[in-house]
Amino acid sequence: MKKAILLSTIMFISPFIFGYIVGDYSPTLKSKNDLIHSEPGWNLFVSVFTNNLLICIVLILGIFIFSIPTIYLLVVNGFVLGIGVSNLIAIEYSTIDFIKTLLPHVLLEIPAFILAGAIGLKGLTFYIIKENRLSIKSFSIYSIILLIALLIAAILEAYISAKF
């Protein structure tokens, strides 16, 4: 599983770096006024949790179809996040603003996506190498870790980060 986590991390971070570089050449934000602010509370929590859970489910389901959706989602999400961070820096989004609004939940979301991606990347060898398959016990443990991380991240984003 360590190799799958490393590969998942590389598939997320490499496009992030590329997106960060490209973001300098295609700014989508002109000022802080262009940022979308969501109303803190239950509706935001449900929306964030549902969205992130669906992303993780699709990342994991890649195990059954040779990791195609897993690779696609890791690359696209890394790239888009890179562009977003680049744009925030371009509009002089302060380090304090970043720490208050993004860091708390991103510290849990990104590792959750990487773990779900690692499970989905098992699809590259799932049908060929029997020793490379996840046991039900391992899958259950990883799933519980994912759910807890996504729940905490959604709570942080909906009730803390959204207030800023």
Side-chain angles (χ1 to χ4, degrees):
M1 188 66 170
K2 289 179 185 178
K3 289 179 183 178
I5 289 173
L6 178 61
L7 183 58
S8 181
T9 303
I10 291 168
M11 287 183 166
F12 186 86
I13 298 295
S14 298
F16 172 86
I17 293 167
F18 185 66
Y20 180 83
I21 293 167
V22 169
D24 284 343
Y25 300 103
S26 62
T28 55
L29 298 174
K30 307 239 183 307
S31 72
K32 289 183 183 179
N33 295 332
D34 292 339
L35 295 173
I36 298 169
H37 295 283
S38 299
E39 192 66 36
W42 175 253
N43 290 337
L44 181 59
F45 166 77
V46 170
S47 174
V48 168
F49 180 72
T50 304
N51 181 59
N52 290 340
L53 183 61
L54 287 173
I55 289 171
C56 284
I57 289 170
V58 173
L59 284 165
I60 290 169
L61 288 177
I63 198 168
F64 299 112
I65 46 178
F66 303 104
S67 306
I68 293 167
T70 305
I71 294 167
Y72 175 79
L73 279 178
L74 286 171
V75 169
V76 169
N77 280 316
F79 182 73
V80 169
L81 184 62
I83 289 175
V85 169
S86 177
N87 277 255
L88 288 175
I89 290 170
I91 63 168
E92 298 178 3
Y93 201 70
S94 73
T95 304
I96 299 298
D97 287 338
F98 179 79
I99 290 170
K100 288 190 303 190
T101 58
L102 296 175
L103 193 62
H105 66 275
V106 170
L107 284 176
L108 292 167
E109 279 178 18
I110 291 175
F113 292 157
I114 288 172
L115 177 59
I119 294 168
L121 288 173
K122 290 288 194 175
L124 293 171
T125 57
F126 184 78
Y127 299 102
I128 302 165
I129 306 169
K130 289 185 180 182
E131 302 84 46
N132 206 17
R133 294 183 183 169
L134 280 176
S135 68
I136 297 295
K137 180 180 177 182
S138 295
F139 180 77
S140 299
I141 291 168
Y142 294 138
S143 296
I144 291 168
I145 292 169
L146 282 172
L147 280 174
I148 292 169
L150 293 176
L151 275 169
I152 294 170
I155 290 168
L156 291 172
E157 186 169 351
Y159 293 102
I160 296 173
S161 296
K163 289 183 180 181
F164 297 105

